[in-house]
Structure formats: C-alpha cells, structure tokens
Amino acid sequence: MMRTWMTMLTLLLICVGSTFAQEAGRVSSQSTARPIPTVKPPSPLSESDKAAAAPLPAAAAETPGAVANSAWRNPNEAIKTASAYSSDATATPMTSAPRSEALPPSGSLLKVKSGLNELPHDQGQVWRDYDITPYTLRVTSTSKPEQAIIDWILRETGTDVWFSEPLGMLHADKNTLRVYHTPEMQQIVRDVVEDFVESQAEVKTLGLRLVTVKSPNWRRLAYRMMQPVSVKTPGIEAWLLSKENAAILLDSLRKRSDYKEHQAANLLIHNGQSSAVSMLKPQTFMRSVRATAAWPGYELQSDQIEAGFSLEVSPLLAPDDKTIDAVLKCSVDQIEKFVNVDIDVPTATGGTQTIQVQIPQMVSWRLHERFRWPSDQVLLISCGVVAQPDMGVSTAASFPLSLSLPSGPARADGLMFVEYLGPAKSKPGQPAITPDAAAIDNRGRY
C-alpha cells in the first residue's frame, strides 16, 4: 500500500514539472519572436538646443532633486537653465544651497569670481574716516558740498594714485569722508581736509577783473614791478604784483585808448567751493537740411552757438588766510563769420531746390590753471593776443568797401586780475550770493 502511494506521488511531480517546462518554452519563444526596435542616432543639435542642453551650475547640481534626475535624459529634450527655473511660476525656490553668481553669456571670455573677504594691505594701506560735518553743514550754495573736498584731494594727489597700485579708495557723503590708502597718502588727504574743516565754510570775497588791451606793449613799463609765475599752458603768462603796484598798473591801462573792461565782480564764495560768471550771447544759424516725404520735401535744421566768455574760479584758503590756492577756468568763443554753402535738395514735386546752410567759423581760447600765491598780492594772468570776448560777427560787409574796414573781429591781449579781498561780512554758515552753482560743468575740473 505504501509503495502504491509513493508511485502515484512520483507520477504527479513528473506531470507538474513538464507543465512548467512547456510554459517556460512558450514565453521564451514569444520573447524571441518579437522584433528588436532599431535605435536611431540623435540628430545634430542646433545652437539654441546646445545652449539649452548646457550643464546646470554647480550650486543647482548639488540639490537633492538634481541627483535623481541626472541618471538619463533624452538628448533631444531641452534642459532648463538656472534662468528658466527662476522664471517658472510653479518652480519651488532652491533654499538648500547658496545662490551662485550669474554665468557669463555663452562664448564670453569674461570670468567673474567672488572677491576677497578683506581689503588688500600689502603696502601698508590703512582705513580712515574723516568727519567733515563742520564744513558741509554750513555750505548753502550747493546740494553736494562734499564734492568740493573730493575735487581738491584729487587735485592735490592726482587721479592715478586712486586707480593703480596700491589699491586705494576715496568716498564721501555729507557727513564722512572715507579713505583707504597708504599712511603717506592719508597725510596729504588730512592736510586738505583740515583746510576745509578749520574754515567752517567761511564766505570769502574774491575780486575778478577781465580786461583787454589791443597792443601787448603795456609790458614795456610794467615788467619792473611784476614777479613772474610759472604756467603750464602754452601761450599763457602770469605775474604777482603787490596791491599797490596792481592799482598803479590798472590805472595806467585805463588811460589807454585800446583798453576795454569786460567783467569786474566781487564774488562771495564758500571756501573751497566753485563760482562762475559768464557773458554769453546766443547765435542761431541754419546748420543743415534734411529730405522729408512731406511737403515741401525738405526740413531745415537750426542750431545755436553761445558766443562770449565764461569764467569759473574755485579758491581754497589756508586756515590763517595767508595763502590762497585757486583753480581758474576761462573760455572765450567768438564767431568770426558764417560761411554759406548752397545745397540742392529734391522737392515733393520731383524737382530740386537750392537751400543755403551756414558753417560757423570760430576762434576760441581756453585757460585752465591752478595757482598758489600769498593772499596779500594780486595775480595777473595774460592769455596772449586772442579774440575779444564780446565781439560778434563782423559787420564789415554792410559798409562801403572804400572804407577798408577789417573783415574779421579784432584781437587783443586778454588780462585777468585776481585778488583776495578778505572774509565776507556775512558770518560762517550764512548763505553767500553766488551764481547758480548747479550750472557749473564739473567735467575736466582737475
């Protein structure tokens, strides 16, 4: 009996094993019969696709989501850059890693990296903060009185020392002047700032007088009472005179028939600030012509030239008022004549018309110098034989030719007297009557 049961169990196991073998063979035959798909190589990427498929920044690649998604991507699928993620409204901001700097455009050679945690001091640079409120709080002629302090520092040190080795920095607001440089440069800055702070923006009186003399032979008798001063501008001469000799020279010049006075003013200026006087006369002329589609087929373009002279002065006196340091800028522009040019322009009817435009013929001279002299003396500057400041266009064409009048404007020796007249009657901090300080052009002031 036992043997019969063992024989039946053996037959059952053999039947089950053959069934599993048949099923396995059927599955194997089905899998081998299915065709294998052909994988085509990816098509070449365009420039836009290459830019889109660029690798992500290192900071973005370190995020947890980037690790899971970096296993495999379709080569033809565009990958979002950092800018695309930042502009996506549904994206979650990445807070687990610090923000990285913006990458330069593709193909750029510019490399940007984070700076140092501290300023370099390999040549002994030190940081100094200067309190300039005793000066800036008392200046009422300009909204940025601290700019004058920066200007005078740059005039004293030059501009190159702040943009070359060693590393330096110069910054000012209305309360503090911040300087980072070597101790030697800090001492120069300190001397300049002391002149401003100690004066407490006291209002100074400066006398300016601009005259012309047609003949430069006035020097013949004046040389013996003048002391020459070195000048860097070619063609410009300067001398120092005592106030008594200056009065004598000016009186002798007034007796000449070719003497003419153009400007005489006593300027009230906060110490270190700038003030300007000018006598300009606008001259309008037809500069060019431009063709248009509307009637009459052209458009005249006018322009304007301001002829005359302008004078800007910036004085800085020592705390004891014994020495004056001043920067003078003077410019004279004179129109000799307008040269007429005929231009043929098409009209709306298909023809042509002659239009006359004007080309200005000008003569100008410039003075931009810095002088330092004792305040008890008078500075006299000669600009040479130049165009007279207030002469306009020649009117010789309106007279008969037999009069033989000159065809151009007259020339004369331009003279400028600069004299310190002492503190103004107003107390420190009171407003000074000065020309519009906002109209002063600060370009090229050093």
Side-chain angles (χ1 to χ4, degrees):
M1 189 67 179
M2 182 63 65
R3 182 178 301 175
T4 303
W5 281 107
M6 292 295 293
T7 303
M8 293 178 63
L9 179 61
T10 302
L11 292 175
L12 180 61
L13 292 176
I14 292 173
C15 293
V16 173
S18 61
T19 303
F20 280 121
Q22 290 177 3
E23 292 294 332
R26 188 181 298 110
V27 174
S28 176
S29 62
Q30 289 179 358
S31 61
T32 56
R34 184 175 299 173
I36 301 175
T38 303
V39 180
K40 296 182 179 180
S43 59
L45 297 180
S46 62
E47 294 297 329
S48 60
D49 293 335
K50 290 180 180 180
L56 289 174
E62 294 175 0
T63 57
V67 178
N69 297 330
S70 61
W72 181 87
R73 285 192 182 93
N74 189 342
N76 295 324
E77 180 184 355
I79 302 175
K80 290 184 177 181
T81 59
S83 59
Y85 279 111
S86 61
S87 61
D88 192 354
T90 61
T92 303
M94 295 180 294
T95 58
S96 59
R99 296 177 62 89
S100 61
E101 296 183 2
L103 293 178
S106 177
S108 175
L109 298 178
L110 177 63
K111 295 182 179 179
V112 181
K113 61 181 181 179
S114 300
L116 302 176
N117 293 330
E118 61 180 14
L119 292 174
H121 50 85
D122 52 333
Q123 299 192 34
Q125 297 99 310
V126 292
W127 184 289
R128 294 288 183 269
D129 287 348
Y130 300 89
D131 181 15
I132 57 176
T133 52
Y135 176 82
T136 56
L137 295 181
R138 291 174 170 82
V139 176
T140 58
S141 59
T142 179
S143 60
K144 302 181 75 172
E146 66 275 8
Q147 184 63 51
I149 301 178
I150 295 179
D151 290 348
W152 276 102
I153 291 175
L154 295 178
R155 289 166 183 153
E156 191 69 24
T157 63
T159 57
D160 292 342
V161 299
W162 303 100
F163 303 102
S164 59
E165 293 292 336
L167 175 67
M169 188 182 71
L170 181 64
H171 173 269
D173 54 28
K174 207 163 187 176
N175 299 321
T176 307
L177 172 70
R178 297 176 175 87
V179 182
Y180 183 73
H181 219 287
T182 60
E184 295 78 13
M185 194 62 61
Q186 293 283 0
Q187 184 59 45
I188 298 176
V189 172
R190 181 185 179 91
D191 294 340
V192 175
V193 177
E194 278 185 348
D195 291 343
F196 280 88
V197 173
E198 296 298 331
S199 68
Q200 299 185 27
E202 186 177 14
V203 179
K204 308 292 184 179
T205 306
L206 201 67
L208 294 176
R209 192 179 301 272
L210 179 63
V211 303
T212 55
V213 182
K214 288 188 177 181
S215 176
N217 60 4
W218 61 269
R219 292 170 169 82
R220 181 176 181 180
L221 299 178
Y223 262 125
R224 58 187 180 184
M225 52 182 173
M226 298 189 304
Q227 177 184 353
V229 176
S230 60
V231 183
K232 296 180 180 180
T233 305
I236 305 295
E237 290 185 277
W239 304 271
L240 287 179
L241 301 87
S242 64
K243 293 191 175 184
E244 294 79 9
N245 289 335
I248 295 174
L249 175 61
L250 191 58
D251 183 66
S252 64
L253 292 177
R254 285 173 177 160
K255 296 177 181 179
R256 296 172 59 109
S257 59
D258 58 353
Y259 171 86
K260 190 169 186 179
E261 188 171 285
H262 302 275
Q263 180 68 34
N266 294 337
L267 301 181
L268 303 180
I269 312 174
H270 290 289
N271 192 32
Q273 295 293 321
S274 297
S275 181
V277 293
S278 61
M279 292 181 61
L280 301 174
K281 181 180 179 181
Q283 296 280 344
T284 304
F285 65 99
M286 295 301 166
R287 178 172 56 89
S288 62
V289 60
R290 184 172 64 91
T292 60
W295 190 88
Y298 64 88
E299 180 184 20
L300 292 175
Q301 294 181 329
S302 62
D303 204 346
Q304 191 178 79
I305 296 177
E306 291 187 338
F309 80 92
S310 62
L311 175 64
E312 179 184 339
V313 57
S314 178
L316 179 63
L317 282 92
D320 56 2
D321 282 358
K322 292 184 178 180
T323 304
I324 180 173
D325 198 345
V327 175
L328 301 175
K329 292 177 61 177
C330 185
S331 62
V332 173
D333 297 304
Q334 184 187 58
I335 304 175
E336 290 187 321
K337 63 179 181 179
F338 288 106
V339 180
N340 297 325
V341 178
D342 294 333
I343 297 180
D344 295 331
V345 296
T347 60
T349 59
T352 59
Q353 184 176 356
T354 301
I355 302 298
Q356 193 174 76
V357 299
Q358 298 173 310
I359 310 301
Q361 179 177 320
M362 302 184 61
V363 59
S364 306
W365 58 270
R366 300 286 186 268
L367 168 68
H368 187 185
E369 285 282 341
R370 176 183 174 183
F371 299 94
R372 179 179 296 171
W373 72 96
S375 59
D376 59 350
Q377 295 185 340
V378 179
L379 177 67
L380 173 60
I381 304 171
S382 171
C383 300
V385 180
V386 294
Q388 290 192 7
D390 59 349
M391 294 295 292
V393 180
S394 175
T395 57
S398 61
F399 293 93
L401 297 177
S402 58
L403 295 179
S404 301
L405 292 177
S407 58
R411 301 288 187 268
D413 191 0
L415 303 177
M416 186 185 306
F417 292 83
V418 185
E419 180 182 4
Y420 174 59
L421 301 178
K425 293 182 180 180
S426 58
K427 296 181 180 179
Q430 293 185 354
I433 304 175
T434 57
D436 185 9
I440 298 176
D441 185 6
N442 288 325
R443 290 175 294 178
R445 59 180 175 261
Y446 310 125

